[in-house]
Amino acid sequence: MQNHHEYPIDVRWGEMDALGHVNNTEYLRYFESARVEWFEGMGSHLVGGEVGPVVLKSTTLYHLPVIYPNRLKVVTRVERVGNTSYTLAQQLRGRDDDALYTESDLTCVWVDRVTGGLFPLRIFCASFWLSACRVKINDHGRNCCRANLSIIR
């Protein structure tokens, strides 16, 4: 099983700014598009559902400027799954040379859109996160996915 998701991107001319490189806001859109495709590919419907992901914190480090034309990929990995939050690591890399352009760490929560509260990840951990992370560890040192399989059986 692959422990990450790759999302291909072909840089468009219109993503360049006056400084001659892709504007930094586009990098964040690349990351967002990759997360959306990944979640939807695992069966999560982000629009219209009663629960969904929200980015709580994002830290982005820019290593190299992206210049048109370029073929990129966003690599997304699950770093940690806790009781109500999870951490993703995303990298923007060259598809042809694997150069690292940008990396971002995100802490996200799953929100109950009806109540506005946090949605416990263990409720759908086995059906969703197991396909994403297989053996990630929560804050208490237990494997979140395996430890909570019994609640949905």
Side-chain angles (χ1 to χ4, degrees):
M1 172 179 210
Q2 192 172 1
N3 68 350
H4 67 278
H5 175 263
E6 291 188 11
Y7 177 76
I9 296 166
D10 291 320
V11 176
R12 298 178 303 180
W13 173 258
E15 295 165 343
M16 303 271 286
D17 62 18
L19 298 176
H21 57 77
V22 171
N23 188 280
N24 64 336
T25 59
E26 296 296 332
Y27 294 56
L28 302 179
R29 287 187 183 108
Y30 296 158
F31 289 147
E32 178 184 55
S33 295
R35 289 191 309 273
V36 168
E37 180 187 89
W38 189 32
F39 284 137
E40 289 180 345
M42 288 188 292
S44 176
H45 304 289
L46 300 178
V47 178
E50 292 185 4
V51 297
V54 174
V55 174
L56 186 65
K57 180 178 85 170
S58 174
T59 304
T60 304
L61 182 60
Y62 299 90
H63 295 282
L64 296 169
V66 175
I67 299 170
Y68 174 88
N70 208 330
R71 294 168 19 95
L72 306 171
K73 63 183 174 186
V74 173
V75 179
T76 304
R77 287 184 173 80
V78 177
E79 293 292 315
R80 183 193 64 81
V81 177
N83 293 322
T84 58
S85 68
Y86 58 96
T87 303
L88 299 177
Q90 292 189 285
Q91 295 181 334
L92 183 63
R93 293 188 162 274
R95 285 196 335 243
D96 299 323
D97 60 4
D98 206 40
L100 177 60
Y101 290 92
T102 305
E103 56 189 328
S104 183
D105 293 316
L106 296 102
T107 300
C108 305
V109 294
W110 215 262
V111 174
D112 183 323
R113 293 184 179 130
V114 175
T115 67
L118 297 179
F119 190 78
L121 296 177
R122 62 178 161 65
I123 290 176
F124 62 92
C125 192
S127 62
F128 183 79
W129 290 109
L130 187 58
S131 66
C133 64
R134 195 57 87 175
V135 294
K136 294 302 169 194
I137 305 300
N138 71 9
D139 293 334
H140 304 289
R142 293 187 311 264
N143 179 319
C144 173
C145 295
R146 287 191 185 153
N148 294 300
L149 280 175
S150 61
I151 67 169
I152 64 164
R153 286 184 181 157

